[in-house]
Amino acid sequence: MTKTRVAVIGASGYTGEELVRLLLAHPGVDLVAVTSRQLAGKSLTKVFPRFAQNKKAIGLKFSNPDAKQLASDVRIAFLALPHGLAAEFAKPLLSAGARVLDLSADFRIKDASVYREFYGQDHPAPDLLGQSVYGLPEIYRDQIRDAQLVACPGCYPTSILIPLRPLIRRKAVDRQSILVASMSGVSGAGRKVEADYLFVECNESVRPYGVPKHRHLSEIEQELSILAGEQMVIQFTPHLVPVNRGIVTTIYANIASNVVNIDPAIIFSGAYGEEPFVRLLDETHLPDTKHVVGTNFVDIAWRIDQRTNRLVLMSALDNIVKGASGQAVQCMNLMLGLPETAGLL
Amino acid sequence: MTKTRVAVIGASGYTGEELVRLLLAHPGVDLVAVTSRQLAGKSLTKVFPRFAQNKKAIGLKFSNPDAKQLASDVRIAFLALPHGLAAEFAKPLLSAGARVLDLSADFRIKDASVYREFYGQDHPAPDLLGQSVYGLPEIYRDQIRDAQLVACPGCYPTSILIPLRPLIRRKAVDRQSILVASMSGVSGAGRKVEADYLFVECNESVRPYGVPKHRHLSEIEQELSILAGEQMVIQFTPHLVPVNRGIVTTIYANIASNVVNIDPAIIFSGAYGEEPFVRLLDETHLPDTKHVVGTNFVDIAWRIDQRTNRLVLMSALDNIVKGASGQAVQCMNLMLGLPETAGLL
Amino acid sequence: MTKTRVAVIGASGYTGEELVRLLLAHPGVDLVAVTSRQLAGKSLTKVFPRFAQNKKAIGLKFSNPDAKQLASDVRIAFLALPHGLAAEFAKPLLSAGARVLDLSADFRIKDASVYREFYGQDHPAPDLLGQSVYGLPEIYRDQIRDAQLVACPGCYPTSILIPLRPLIRRKAVDRQSILVASMSGVSGAGRKVEADYLFVECNESVRPYGVPKHRHLSEIEQELSILAGEQMVIQFTPHLVPVNRGIVTTIYANIASNVVNIDPAIIFSGAYGEEPFVRLLDETHLPDTKHVVGTNFVDIAWRIDQRTNRLVLMSALDNIVKGASGQAVQCMNLMLGLPETAGLL
Amino acid sequence: MTKTRVAVIGASGYTGEELVRLLLAHPGVDLVAVTSRQLAGKSLTKVFPRFAQNKKAIGLKFSNPDAKQLASDVRIAFLALPHGLAAEFAKPLLSAGARVLDLSADFRIKDASVYREFYGQDHPAPDLLGQSVYGLPEIYRDQIRDAQLVACPGCYPTSILIPLRPLIRRKAVDRQSILVASMSGVSGAGRKVEADYLFVECNESVRPYGVPKHRHLSEIEQELSILAGEQMVIQFTPHLVPVNRGIVTTIYANIASNVVNIDPAIIFSGAYGEEPFVRLLDETHLPDTKHVVGTNFVDIAWRIDQRTNRLVLMSALDNIVKGASGQAVQCMNLMLGLPETAGLL
């Protein structure tokens, strides 16, 4: 079987490195290009010693090709670039016929004015917004199969949308009542060399940030609104905690006043019983990042608080895998007609 | 000046050790007894090498006296014992005339049936509940001065009650709308030798626990209800994060519908401008445990979310200091008529 | 192709869990039994949620069979048991015809009196000592292929023997001059529920232990002596550092007085150029546990100090993989005539 | 009593911040100036919220005065600057009559050519080298009292020189046989914003660095040579471990061939029995950074290995306190005729 040729554009950061790891081990694709302006010319195994014994990795060098060149060489390009830059790369790749999985925020927001509000700059390719598909297979599986351009979701949105989706769809919770607190490991900030992310500043530190209007709110509310069929606004506070990887999200929602005897176990089994990467924890377990780190799973638990008539939803995932690169590979599997779990279990 | 003789009962755990540290350095008291069934006979400096060069510590040995003996020897006894056991020690100490600062949950709950509901056992000394004072100086300063028995608050309650108090008092927020997410360091579990608290199980792990009805809810709701003058019920989820010490709490509350132009800066300055251990952060800072660990401060910040008409309150404190032992010393200072900050700055 | 049936005896600890992970993913074997006295009856996926979506794991339950039963069912048994207990299990398994890979210390020491000296008890099966093969493929590859009983090395010995072996063999270093300092993550202590390994006791702590005569010295010196053809005694100090996994070892050795122009690069390339799991770092890199954790690699670097005429050797490995379970699987591959890297890359 | 006016030059890094902490709490001095080019104009309490409630801190602003101005204002200036820059500041301060405690490497090395060899640049003020005193009170107490210019030792040197000194002096160990392995927390690298010190790069990582010729070797060997009365060369390897603060050092030394029945307990008690900051651990304890972090203590233990006739010495200290700022304050106390422990216990 001929394997599909794929490239990772911007492979120097944490999500790029994880894409490389997943794609090197993937049975259905050949990783033929890894690019980085800054690392161009260096061999992959020197930069990332963990791949040093990997036969597929040994030949690879970081390159800095132009988009046309690339598009003639690969069928799939992953963009692991900062927002703004991603859109610039996507345009020529798409024109040249490549299919693009973008891990930045550039194609997640349908509305260029919302993009400007949350990202503080004009959208670099507003004409492409209409054709991008939000890369959350648990919601958009069918559209992803045929997509030319997939906008892979952020890590926080994945941890929030998956638990909320079946409840919003069924109108089981009051849509004005949703409040979220998330805790993320430091790799969520990327490989940014800033004082805030130094070891001594993060270790033995817990802190909220991005209050009250973190950028990911834009895509979370967009997707919730689509699910609800009406504009939704939620409360969201991220916190930085001293782990390398992992997000825990805790969501509060009032049970809708007209709902009696809600049984979340039935709702979640119905929605996710067949999903390969959603794990529903039983009543004796709560999510813990250490059980999902390094995997593409999202673990979900729920509790009803009878005293307040609220649902407490909790999820855990690896922000670099299900929150980024693993999810992108899951989307790619759909796009290529491969088993959805290929290279991910 | 004669110094007051004090004892720490149950000095083998983290809060007991911190009490020892604070009391050894305190200018107004003499720590004359440290007790522990298990460590009786050992010298303090062998068990806690950090005190090895401290002249006051050098003579001290762990002992296991009976309460009468103790009461004849000291004016103040700190109880750093498990709940249940604390009440047993408190009774004879109080009878014999000692003043007691209890760091367990035993005297925090006014209603013995609530104690039974949350702690799963009958209260061991229900007759004493009426006379205990909740040891949060920011609320009960005057009562603490004269108290014979002070029930020092839990770490989570301190991090929640201090930010909420002025808003509840002023009816600035909707009392049904309060939701809390807290993150605590592992010392909050005490020096318990259980698999859940092993290094490898906690490091690189973030997890909610005690959902939906953590024991501290009982005292939080009791105190909020007293402030509100009506029964209050809130939502609360604690999370365990891999730091030794520190709690960050994020609180959501709807701004009351009849309140316009709320200015939390004015409310908080009014309430806490003179408080020695409450620090109000400005609009460019958010709480971070690393700025309070090792201190008796609680740092508070707030943001109004115009989109949702909610207040987001955030606090940080050291669970062993302002959340336990430091607060107990602050209470003791009040009881002894010493400067409230003695030994704490 | 029929797959070989294998069992993990004592699968509740960290090395047992890692064996399960590696064997579930291994293309050449079927993991048909996981045993634990304490967990018997529980399903594997409940105890270790990380395996929850793994089809091969779903049917597995912890059992507590007797050795004969087991031996009739599997061809290979891994023992992940405390020393002493391991030997008791090995005897009947071997008698019944199973091949045994023991991860404890029980069959590493050839001399029962040395075992008694270092482990403080009589050896439970001294008659088996003669037939066990030390499971370090880089030294004993051929003997492992045919072994009935393999004694997998400790984590520290692996990190010390692999770098030292080619130098000892070639008499390149003075055999009286070898001094070692190692740093290990906390999983090296196993899943032992002791106060010393609580999060708060290990986090923000660095400490030597087992000075001067750690148990692993017995096997290190035994193997070095075999390589040298004469009795060798070394200095070794382990340190506990706050990471979950990983060992870094730094070794000092005087260059032998009759050796001039030593070129370690040539020596190491000669010895390990073809080894699949030994990576020789170039002159710009030093070992770092983060590059080997989760892998079966051992990374090696060296520097000559011209000022002192000493060699500084440094290695890094994952104490649970190359230091325990991965190495055991590598040995199993040899025993079964499978590619040595099967299931390990 | 009039307090001595002191300044911290370069107060933005970790050692500068710790100096500020210690000096604000010090009973004998007034901290009247904190300087930083980069932070000039900002109030101290904004930059370091931990000092926010400290009355002495409230008035302080970072400034950027010239040296003459400063010298007219203070009697003591601490330099917490990068090497090279420190010497530039020291010159005019000394000329103007201030006494200087330099925490950089600039005045530690007596020989400008050694400085050039290890620091890669010409010494900026070689004429001052003769007058500087090495600020290790355990060795140079008397000279420090009268010094105009004190060169505070590095953190590694302190952890090595204190345990070795009495043994070298008494010729108890073979001077050619000294090998050292040290492990340091990440604050040892300062507040340097480099990728190597990002949380994700340091957490779950252990690594040697600076092999074989770390800069601190220059001062270690200089001081050992002075003690020995002959040129000494040692082996030294530092390792980076994921803690904020703390150094553990393990030293190996052959017992000198003409020494019989060495009793290190007697040697160390003789040398350090009266030292206020050296703690000699008993035979049941080994050093642990968590017992010294936040203090000015250095903890020392030793073991004789009868098998090898070597001494194993181990020490632990806080690299920012006894390894830097605390030691500088200890020196200042000597210079001012204050009790040596003032502000440090």
Side-chain angles (χ1 to χ4, degrees):
Chain A
M1 195 189 78
T2 338
K3 294 183 175 184
T4 304
R5 295 168 67 85
V6 305
V8 176
I9 317 299
S12 65
Y14 294 130
T15 57
E17 182 181 350
E18 187 75 8
L19 279 169
V20 170
R21 183 182 76 83
L22 291 167
L23 295 168
L24 286 173
H26 196 287
V29 302
D30 267 335
L31 176 63
V32 298
V34 291
T35 87
S36 160
R37 281 184 193 172
Q38 170 196 356
L39 299 172
K42 298 201 177 174
S43 78
L44 181 68
T45 57
K46 283 287 172 209
V47 175
F48 299 129
R50 61 194 295 205
F51 303 129
Q53 236 65 357
N54 188 307
K55 274 170 204 156
K56 294 177 178 179
I58 286 166
L60 283 170
K61 269 196 162 47
F62 283 94
S63 61
N64 188 17
D66 66 29
K68 262 196 201 157
Q69 242 177 295
L70 253 179
S72 71
D73 196 31
V74 302
R75 272 186 54 209
I76 298 266
F78 293 87
L79 306 183
L81 296 165
H83 65 87
L85 195 58
E88 286 177 36
F89 269 77
K91 273 193 282 192
L93 284 166
L94 290 164
S95 308
R99 299 174 83 181
V100 171
L101 290 125
D102 178 22
L103 281 80
S104 86
D106 275 355
F107 299 105
R108 298 175 190 161
I109 310 299
K110 307 266 173 256
D111 181 338
S113 71
V114 173
Y115 182 90
R116 192 168 45 241
E117 179 190 351
F118 279 85
Y119 290 88
Q121 57 188 76
D122 284 332
H123 195 283
D127 45 313
L128 291 176
L129 290 179
Q131 72 173 92
S132 84
V133 174
Y134 195 69
L136 198 54
E138 289 77 8
I139 303 186
Y140 294 107
R141 181 165 284 118
D142 290 339
Q143 296 92 313
I144 293 166
R145 287 190 221 278
D146 300 323
Q148 196 70 13
L149 171 58
V150 170
C152 298
C155 47
Y156 288 124
T158 301
S159 79
I160 295 167
L161 292 169
I162 291 182
L164 273 176
R165 173 182 163 262
L167 300 163
I168 298 292
R169 278 234 177 128
R170 286 169 159 258
K171 305 185 195 298
V173 294
D174 172 358
R175 289 165 185 184
Q176 265 65 57
S177 74
I178 294 168
L179 300 97
V180 180
S182 292
M183 286 126 258
S184 172
V186 184
S187 63
R191 204 170 246 146
K192 250 180 258 155
V193 184
E194 296 179 6
D196 276 356
Y197 305 117
L198 288 176
F199 180 83
V200 178
E201 303 302 319
C202 293
N203 186 39
E204 297 300 288
S205 160
V206 185
R207 52 190 205 244
Y209 70 101
V211 183
K213 217 174 140 187
H214 185 276
R215 285 172 166 180
H216 281 180
L217 252 186
S218 53
E219 55 180 293
I220 298 166
E221 292 182 346
Q222 167 184 286
E223 293 301 316
L224 287 176
S225 300
I226 293 170
L227 288 169
E230 62 177 16
Q231 184 60 35
M232 279 189 61
V233 175
I234 70 159
Q235 202 71 42
F236 167 58
T237 307
H239 302 76
L240 194 69
V241 294
V243 297
N244 279 354
R245 289 173 168 218
I247 285 179
V248 157
T249 285
T250 294
I251 305 170
Y252 297 129
N254 294 348
I255 297 173
S257 54
N258 59 338
V259 169
V260 286
N261 292 329
I262 187 172
D263 188 339
I266 290 177
I267 294 175
F268 280 109
S269 299
Y272 294 131
E274 305 300 311
E275 280 295 338
F277 295 114
V278 180
R279 298 194 300 197
L280 307 176
L281 304 186
D282 66 28
E283 65 281 3
T284 65
H285 287 85
L286 291 174
D288 185 331
T289 57
K290 72 171 175 272
H291 295 142
V292 294
V293 163
T295 81
N296 199 46
F297 295 117
V298 53
D299 282 0
I300 296 178
W302 54 88
R303 295 291 183 275
I304 295 173
D305 190 345
Q306 304 288 3
R307 300 162 5 113
T308 60
N309 205 34
R310 287 203 193 92
L311 257 175
V312 185
L313 306 173
M314 290 151 287
S315 68
L317 54 74
D318 183 328
N319 55 304
I320 303 288
V321 188
K322 184 62 180 170
S325 307
Q327 187 143 267
V329 170
Q330 189 181 352
C331 290
M332 179 197 75
N333 288 339
L334 290 166
M335 293 163 78
L336 295 177
L338 297 169
E340 191 167 337
T341 60
L344 290 171
L345 278 186
Chain B
M1 192 191 78
T2 337
K3 294 184 176 183
T4 304
R5 295 168 68 85
V6 305
V8 176
I9 317 298
S12 65
Y14 294 130
T15 54
E17 182 181 350
E18 187 76 8
L19 279 169
V20 169
R21 182 181 77 83
L22 292 168
L23 295 169
L24 286 174
H26 196 289
V29 302
D30 267 334
L31 177 63
V32 297
V34 291
T35 88
S36 160
R37 281 184 193 171
Q38 171 197 353
L39 299 172
K42 297 202 177 171
S43 77
L44 180 69
T45 57
K46 283 288 171 207
V47 175
F48 299 129
R50 62 194 294 203
F51 303 129
Q53 236 66 356
N54 188 306
K55 274 169 204 156
K56 293 177 177 177
I58 286 165
L60 283 171
K61 270 195 162 45
F62 282 95
S63 61
N64 188 17
D66 66 28
K68 262 196 200 157
Q69 243 177 296
L70 254 178
S72 70
D73 197 31
V74 302
R75 270 185 58 207
I76 297 265
F78 292 88
L79 305 184
L81 297 165
H83 66 86
L85 196 58
E88 285 177 36
F89 269 77
K91 272 194 283 192
L93 284 165
L94 290 165
S95 307
R99 298 174 85 181
V100 171
L101 291 125
D102 179 21
L103 282 79
S104 86
D106 276 355
F107 298 106
R108 297 175 190 160
I109 311 299
K110 307 264 173 258
D111 181 338
S113 70
V114 173
Y115 183 90
R116 192 168 46 239
E117 179 190 350
F118 278 85
Y119 289 89
Q121 58 188 72
D122 284 331
H123 196 282
D127 45 312
L128 291 176
L129 291 179
Q131 72 173 92
S132 84
V133 173
Y134 195 70
L136 199 54
E138 289 76 8
I139 303 187
Y140 294 107
R141 181 165 284 116
D142 289 339
Q143 296 93 314
I144 292 166
R145 286 191 221 276
D146 301 322
Q148 194 72 12
L149 171 57
V150 170
C152 298
C155 47
Y156 289 124
T158 302
S159 80
I160 295 167
L161 292 170
I162 291 181
L164 273 177
R165 172 180 163 262
L167 300 163
I168 298 292
R169 279 234 177 127
R170 285 169 159 260
K171 304 185 195 298
V173 294
D174 172 358
R175 288 164 186 186
Q176 265 64 56
S177 74
I178 294 168
L179 298 96
V180 180
S182 291
M183 287 125 259
S184 172
V186 185
S187 63
R191 204 171 248 145
K192 251 181 255 155
V193 185
E194 295 179 7
D196 276 357
Y197 306 117
L198 288 176
F199 181 83
V200 178
E201 303 302 318
C202 293
N203 186 40
E204 295 302 287
S205 160
V206 186
R207 53 190 204 243
Y209 69 101
V211 183
K213 216 174 141 186
H214 186 276
R215 284 171 167 182
H216 281 179
L217 252 187
S218 53
E219 55 180 292
I220 299 166
E221 293 182 347
Q222 166 184 290
E223 293 302 315
L224 288 177
S225 299
I226 293 171
L227 288 169
E230 63 178 13
Q231 185 59 36
M232 280 190 60
V233 175
I234 71 160
Q235 204 70 45
F236 167 57
T237 306
H239 301 76
L240 195 67
V241 294
V243 296
N244 280 354
R245 289 173 169 218
I247 285 179
V248 157
T249 284
T250 295
I251 304 170
Y252 296 130
N254 295 348
I255 296 172
S257 54
N258 59 337
V259 170
V260 287
N261 292 329
I262 187 173
D263 187 339
I266 290 176
I267 294 175
F268 281 109
S269 300
Y272 295 131
E274 305 300 311
E275 281 294 338
F277 294 113
V278 180
R279 299 195 298 198
L280 307 176
L281 304 185
D282 66 29
E283 65 280 4
T284 65
H285 287 84
L286 292 174
D288 185 330
T289 57
K290 72 171 175 271
H291 295 141
V292 293
V293 163
T295 80
N296 199 48
F297 294 118
V298 52
D299 282 0
I300 296 178
W302 54 87
R303 295 292 183 276
I304 294 173
D305 190 344
Q306 306 286 4
R307 302 163 1 113
T308 61
N309 205 36
R310 287 203 192 93
L311 256 175
V312 185
L313 306 173
M314 291 151 288
S315 69
L317 54 75
D318 182 327
N319 55 304
I320 303 289
V321 188
K322 183 62 179 170
S325 307
Q327 185 141 270
V329 170
Q330 189 182 352
C331 290
M332 180 197 74
N333 288 339
L334 291 167
M335 293 162 78
L336 296 177
L338 298 169
E340 191 167 336
T341 59
L344 291 171
L345 279 185
Chain C
M1 193 191 77
T2 338
K3 295 183 175 181
T4 304
R5 296 168 66 86
V6 304
V8 177
I9 317 299
S12 64
Y14 295 128
T15 56
E17 182 181 350
E18 187 75 8
L19 278 169
V20 169
R21 182 180 78 81
L22 292 168
L23 295 169
L24 286 173
H26 196 288
V29 302
D30 267 334
L31 177 62
V32 298
V34 290
T35 87
S36 160
R37 281 184 194 171
Q38 171 197 355
L39 300 171
K42 298 202 177 172
S43 77
L44 181 69
T45 57
K46 283 288 172 210
V47 175
F48 299 130
R50 62 193 295 203
F51 303 129
Q53 236 66 354
N54 188 306
K55 274 169 205 157
K56 293 178 178 177
I58 286 166
L60 283 171
K61 270 194 161 47
F62 282 95
S63 61
N64 188 18
D66 65 30
K68 263 196 198 157
Q69 244 176 293
L70 252 179
S72 70
D73 196 33
V74 303
R75 270 185 57 207
I76 298 264
F78 292 88
L79 305 184
L81 296 165
H83 66 87
L85 196 57
E88 286 176 36
F89 269 77
K91 272 194 282 191
L93 284 166
L94 290 164
S95 306
R99 297 174 85 182
V100 171
L101 292 125
D102 178 23
L103 281 80
S104 87
D106 275 356
F107 299 106
R108 297 174 190 162
I109 310 300
K110 306 267 173 257
D111 182 337
S113 70
V114 173
Y115 182 90
R116 192 168 46 240
E117 179 190 350
F118 279 85
Y119 290 89
Q121 58 188 74
D122 284 331
H123 195 283
D127 46 312
L128 292 176
L129 291 179
Q131 71 174 90
S132 83
V133 174
Y134 196 69
L136 199 54
E138 288 77 7
I139 303 186
Y140 294 106
R141 181 164 285 117
D142 291 337
Q143 296 93 313
I144 292 166
R145 286 190 222 277
D146 301 321
Q148 196 71 10
L149 171 58
V150 171
C152 297
C155 46
Y156 288 124
T158 302
S159 79
I160 294 167
L161 292 170
I162 291 182
L164 273 177
R165 173 182 163 261
L167 300 164
I168 298 291
R169 278 234 178 127
R170 287 170 159 259
K171 304 184 195 298
V173 295
D174 171 357
R175 288 165 185 183
Q176 265 65 57
S177 75
I178 295 168
L179 299 96
V180 180
S182 292
M183 287 125 257
S184 172
V186 185
S187 63
R191 204 171 247 146
K192 249 181 258 157
V193 185
E194 296 179 5
D196 276 356
Y197 306 117
L198 289 176
F199 180 82
V200 177
E201 303 301 320
C202 294
N203 186 40
E204 296 300 287
S205 160
V206 186
R207 53 191 204 243
Y209 70 101
V211 183
K213 216 174 141 186
H214 186 276
R215 284 172 167 180
H216 282 181
L217 251 187
S218 53
E219 55 180 293
I220 298 166
E221 294 182 346
Q222 166 184 288
E223 293 302 316
L224 288 177
S225 299
I226 293 171
L227 288 169
E230 62 178 14
Q231 185 59 36
M232 280 190 60
V233 174
I234 70 159
Q235 202 72 45
F236 166 58
T237 306
H239 302 75
L240 195 68
V241 295
V243 298
N244 280 354
R245 288 173 169 219
I247 284 179
V248 157
T249 285
T250 295
I251 304 170
Y252 297 129
N254 295 349
I255 298 173
S257 53
N258 60 336
V259 170
V260 287
N261 292 328
I262 187 171
D263 187 340
I266 289 177
I267 294 175
F268 281 110
S269 300
Y272 295 131
E274 305 301 311
E275 281 294 338
F277 295 114
V278 180
R279 299 193 299 199
L280 307 176
L281 305 185
D282 66 27
E283 64 280 4
T284 65
H285 287 85
L286 292 174
D288 185 331
T289 57
K290 71 171 176 273
H291 295 141
V292 293
V293 163
T295 80
N296 199 47
F297 294 118
V298 53
D299 282 0
I300 296 178
W302 54 86
R303 295 292 184 275
I304 294 172
D305 190 344
Q306 305 287 3
R307 302 165 358 116
T308 61
N309 205 36
R310 287 203 193 91
L311 257 176
V312 185
L313 306 173
M314 291 151 287
S315 69
L317 54 75
D318 182 328
N319 56 303
I320 303 288
V321 188
K322 184 61 179 170
S325 307
Q327 185 141 270
V329 170
Q330 189 182 352
C331 289
M332 180 198 74
N333 289 339
L334 290 167
M335 293 161 77
L336 296 177
L338 298 169
E340 191 167 337
T341 60
L344 290 172
L345 278 186
Chain D
M1 192 191 79
T2 336
K3 294 183 175 184
T4 304
R5 296 169 67 85
V6 304
V8 176
I9 317 300
S12 65
Y14 294 129
T15 56
E17 181 181 350
E18 188 75 8
L19 278 169
V20 169
R21 181 180 78 82
L22 292 167
L23 295 169
L24 286 174
H26 197 288
V29 302
D30 268 334
L31 177 63
V32 298
V34 290
T35 87
S36 161
R37 281 184 194 171
Q38 170 196 355
L39 299 171
K42 298 203 176 171
S43 78
L44 180 70
T45 58
K46 283 287 173 211
V47 175
F48 299 130
R50 61 193 296 204
F51 303 129
Q53 235 66 355
N54 188 307
K55 275 171 203 155
K56 294 178 178 177
I58 287 165
L60 283 171
K61 270 194 162 47
F62 282 94
S63 61
N64 187 16
D66 66 29
K68 262 196 199 156
Q69 241 176 298
L70 253 179
S72 71
D73 196 31
V74 302
R75 270 185 56 207
I76 298 265
F78 292 88
L79 305 183
L81 296 165
H83 66 87
L85 196 58
E88 285 177 37
F89 269 77
K91 272 192 284 191
L93 284 165
L94 290 165
S95 307
R99 298 173 84 181
V100 171
L101 290 124
D102 178 22
L103 282 79
S104 87
D106 275 355
F107 298 106
R108 297 175 190 160
I109 310 299
K110 308 264 171 260
D111 181 338
S113 71
V114 173
Y115 182 90
R116 191 169 47 240
E117 177 189 351
F118 279 85
Y119 290 89
Q121 58 187 74
D122 283 331
H123 195 282
D127 45 313
L128 291 175
L129 290 179
Q131 73 173 91
S132 84
V133 174
Y134 195 68
L136 199 54
E138 288 77 7
I139 303 186
Y140 294 107
R141 182 164 284 117
D142 290 338
Q143 297 92 315
I144 292 166
R145 286 189 222 277
D146 300 323
Q148 194 72 11
L149 170 59
V150 171
C152 297
C155 46
Y156 288 124
T158 301
S159 79
I160 294 167
L161 292 170
I162 291 181
L164 273 177
R165 172 181 163 263
L167 300 164
I168 298 291
R169 278 232 177 129
R170 285 169 157 259
K171 305 184 194 299
V173 294
D174 171 358
R175 289 165 184 182
Q176 265 64 56
S177 74
I178 293 168
L179 299 96
V180 180
S182 291
M183 287 126 259
S184 172
V186 185
S187 63
R191 204 170 246 146
K192 252 180 255 156
V193 184
E194 296 180 5
D196 276 356
Y197 306 117
L198 288 177
F199 181 83
V200 178
E201 303 302 319
C202 293
N203 187 39
E204 297 300 287
S205 160
V206 186
R207 54 192 205 243
Y209 70 99
V211 183
K213 217 174 141 188
H214 186 277
R215 285 172 168 180
H216 281 180
L217 253 186
S218 53
E219 55 181 292
I220 298 166
E221 293 182 345
Q222 167 185 288
E223 293 302 315
L224 288 177
S225 300
I226 293 171
L227 288 169
E230 62 178 13
Q231 185 60 35
M232 279 189 62
V233 175
I234 71 160
Q235 203 70 45
F236 167 58
T237 307
H239 301 76
L240 195 68
V241 294
V243 297
N244 280 355
R245 290 173 167 217
I247 284 180
V248 158
T249 284
T250 294
I251 304 171
Y252 296 130
N254 295 348
I255 297 173
S257 53
N258 60 336
V259 169
V260 286
N261 292 327
I262 187 172
D263 188 339
I266 290 177
I267 294 175
F268 281 109
S269 300
Y272 295 131
E274 305 300 311
E275 281 294 336
F277 295 113
V278 180
R279 298 194 300 198
L280 307 176
L281 304 186
D282 65 29
E283 66 280 3
T284 65
H285 286 85
L286 292 174
D288 185 331
T289 57
K290 71 171 175 272
H291 296 141
V292 293
V293 163
T295 80
N296 199 48
F297 294 118
V298 53
D299 282 0
I300 295 178
W302 54 86
R303 295 291 183 275
I304 294 173
D305 190 344
Q306 306 285 5
R307 301 163 3 113
T308 60
N309 205 36
R310 286 202 193 93
L311 257 176
V312 185
L313 306 173
M314 291 151 287
S315 69
L317 54 74
D318 182 328
N319 55 304
I320 303 290
V321 188
K322 184 61 180 170
S325 307
Q327 187 142 270
V329 170
Q330 188 181 351
C331 289
M332 178 197 75
N333 288 339
L334 291 167
M335 292 161 78
L336 296 177
L338 297 170
E340 190 167 337
T341 59
L344 290 171
L345 279 186

